[in-house]
Amino acid sequence: MTPLSAAPVTFDALPNPRGGAVRPAELALAEATLAFEQCGETGAALLRASHALRTAGWLSAQRFADVLVRLSPLATEGPDEPGDAQGARPVFGAALGHFRAALERHNLRELSCSPALFNHYGALCAQLAEPAAGSPVAFEDLALCARPVPPASLHARSADQLAHLRARYERALLPVLRSQADTGSAVALAVTNAALDEIDIVFAELAGPDPYDFWRLARACAKALRAGGHAVRETDARRFYARCNLALADHARGIERAPRSLVRATLALLWRDYALFGAAAEDADQVEILNDYGLTVDWHVAGTQSSEMLWEAGARDAQSLTAGRSTLTRDLGVLTVNANAYEDFLQTADASIQALAAHARAADQPEKADPSEALQAGDAAYRLASAACALGLGHVALLADALGLAWRRRAHAGVSTPAVRAHVIVGAPAADTLEQAAEALRATLHKVAAGVGPAAASHTQAALAALTRAIEQGGA
């Protein structure tokens, strides 16, 4: 039998050499791998891995591990066993091998947004015959796991204008859906590019003044898909364009909000490449939209293949240097972190949390409300979230991102332009909700500074739930 380690594994992002490691999960996956290769039982080890990942707040990875747990009884029977084991075993083995290797790279954004991992996830779910037939698993199920996503509006327009725009969109959509990027001729490619140009123009004409207008988000997603070369090559991209046509029909019927599932799918596609590869200066508009929806990215400087190879080699050297030297690491419960990165994080977090607390106190004085102050608070939360994500503090990163999104909502609700303010579809989160979330973050960070593990406490979960309600339901 071929061991899992012999299977080639390709990755979608660079490793994070200073990132935290969930050693209990890594050890449990190594145990599960050995048991699988020996046709033994893997469920108990995988369950331990899932529990450790949940404790660390690596929630997308936990969801992946949970599917492995559920499939393990079918996949780990002996090679002579009849039934579904023969079909499940290679799917399970490939997914386990890739997941184990990805987990050891300590890149939380890769674990959330990796197309390769998602393909394994979909194959695992197909073996379990779930979800229901006709409802394939969605990329956003992993990418946006546990994240609040605000609703997106469909700006009111005249019936004639919408009918004209939809007719143009449908004419452009047909060659996009028919296109085959790998086999198309130069003429066919030119036709497809012209159709995509027309779709971009229609999206621009549809976009309304609301920062959370769906067509603004769709336009950004279409731009990102084309920049990454995905617009006609991927099934998810073609599905996005087709679903936008259905959203146009909803718009023409006077519906004021885009379908929640479409908003989530569009946001996840927009975020994917930026989460994996970072953003450059020319991507600033796209990153601004991602920030409006509670998502952050890293900024990259060099984008050449040779520079990435050098970076990857340096990452491997850094990990080798750290391995086995306890003086260079700190244990925070199930999470083992680089000691220098840990100290850097604490300094960044202290400044951010002080700024957030000050902004939250000021927000309780409506007469002094200032959108620019709210944006600064959102940026402080996002800095904290990015630093926590890099260190591996999943629960901290998730709550800080949600708080940054809530402040963004408050900033947009307080804009001084009446034309925009009239179309904000939910109210600003209440000041006490923001303050409670900031205090929950402060309490969690105090525990992190004291060396306590990163498990989500009740006050952290309550703060995230309150922010989610305010963001998704418009509760103040």
Side-chain angles (χ1 to χ4, degrees):
M1 181 180 298
T2 303
L4 292 184
S5 57
V9 175
T10 57
F11 296 101
D12 297 306
L14 294 172
N16 179 19
R18 282 164 56 94
V22 186
R23 299 297 185 204
E26 293 180 8
L27 292 172
L29 288 178
E31 180 182 332
T33 299
L34 180 61
F36 176 80
E37 291 174 347
Q38 297 175 349
C39 296
E41 194 274 333
T42 60
L46 291 170
L47 195 60
R48 292 200 304 275
S50 173
H51 177 74
L53 293 168
R54 182 176 68 251
T55 301
W58 295 25
L59 302 184
S60 295
Q62 181 214 337
R63 178 167 287 191
F64 194 106
D66 286 345
V67 177
L68 286 171
V69 170
R70 297 174 66 182
L71 190 59
S72 61
L74 281 178
T76 55
E77 296 177 3
D80 297 327
E81 293 291 334
D84 292 336
Q86 293 304 297
R89 184 171 177 82
V91 172
F92 180 91
L96 176 59
H98 197 126
F99 180 57
R100 178 187 173 191
L103 197 72
E104 292 173 352
R105 291 159 61 79
H106 312 150
N107 187 329
L108 289 186
R109 290 193 178 116
E110 180 182 9
L111 290 168
S112 296
C113 294
S114 164
L117 282 177
F118 173 69
N119 288 338
H120 286 300
Y121 180 77
L124 292 169
C125 290
Q127 290 294 321
L128 291 167
E130 60 179 37
S135 299
V137 295
F139 175 68
E140 59 271 18
D141 292 342
L142 284 182
L144 304 180
C145 182
R147 291 180 175 275
V149 174
S153 64
L154 298 171
H155 179 58
R157 295 186 179 275
S158 70
D160 289 344
Q161 185 180 27
L162 286 173
H164 173 67
L165 289 171
R166 191 180 184 202
R168 289 171 55 189
Y169 188 88
E170 288 183 330
R171 284 195 299 270
L173 178 63
L174 191 57
V176 173
L177 297 182
R178 288 177 173 173
S179 65
Q180 295 292 330
D182 294 334
T183 59
S185 65
V187 173
L189 185 60
V191 170
T192 301
N193 284 332
L196 291 170
D197 289 341
E198 176 68 0
I199 286 176
D200 290 343
I201 293 171
V202 171
F203 282 160
E205 293 186 19
L206 282 167
D210 184 0
Y212 294 94
D213 181 272
F214 172 72
W215 300 116
R216 177 176 180 260
L217 175 63
R219 183 187 183 192
C221 180
K223 182 177 179 181
L225 289 173
R226 295 188 73 178
H230 309 301
V232 295
R233 194 173 62 203
E234 294 187 355
T235 300
D236 280 346
R238 290 195 290 271
R239 184 181 296 120
F240 157 72
Y241 287 116
R243 292 182 70 184
C244 283
N245 189 42
L246 298 178
L248 254 174
D250 289 343
H251 199 165
R253 289 196 296 270
I255 294 176
E256 297 180 349
R257 290 188 177 181
R260 172 176 165 78
S261 62
L262 177 57
V263 176
R264 287 174 55 82
T266 304
L267 182 61
L269 284 178
L270 170 59
W271 190 39
R272 180 181 60 186
D273 281 4
Y274 294 123
L276 293 173
F277 309 121
E282 60 267 25
D283 304 315
D285 290 343
Q286 313 293 84
V287 173
E288 189 73 11
I289 291 174
L290 287 171
N291 289 169
D292 282 341
Y293 284 85
L295 299 171
T296 59
V297 303
D298 290 327
W299 297 94
H300 64 72
V301 178
T304 65
Q305 185 176 5
S306 58
S307 67
E308 290 187 357
M309 291 175 64
L310 287 172
W311 198 98
E312 184 114 26
R316 287 194 298 268
D317 292 343
Q319 287 180 314
S320 299
L321 183 64
T322 303
R325 296 174 61 179
S326 60
T327 57
L328 295 179
T329 63
R330 291 286 301 271
D331 288 333
L332 304 174
V334 298
L335 191 69
T336 300
V337 299
N338 176 286
N340 292 329
Y342 171 72
E343 295 298 333
D344 292 344
F345 168 77
L346 291 179
Q347 293 182 18
T348 300
D350 185 62
S352 294
I353 203 66
Q354 288 186 27
L356 284 168
H359 284 299
R361 288 191 295 269
D364 219 2
Q365 305 173 45
E367 70 281 0
K368 296 183 179 179
D370 183 350
S372 66
E373 293 280 338
L375 284 176
Q376 290 175 34
D379 289 344
Y382 286 150
R383 285 194 300 273
L384 175 56
S386 292
C389 179
L391 192 64
L393 294 168
H395 293 300
V396 175
L398 182 61
L399 180 56
D401 270 337
L403 182 55
L405 170 53
W407 274 111
R408 279 267 170 166
R409 300 286 286 170
R410 193 173 181 91
H412 288 309
V415 292
S416 57
T417 306
V420 176
R421 188 170 59 245
H423 293 93
V424 173
I425 56 178
V426 293
D432 61 344
T433 301
L434 301 171
E435 190 166 8
Q436 288 166 12
E439 285 304 311
L441 272 175
R442 183 195 295 274
T444 301
L445 291 171
H446 283 166
K447 291 183 177 180
V448 171
V452 178
S458 58
H459 65 280
T460 305
Q461 294 174 325
L464 180 60
L467 286 172
T468 300
R469 285 193 300 271
I471 290 164
E472 295 189 342
Q473 302 174 13

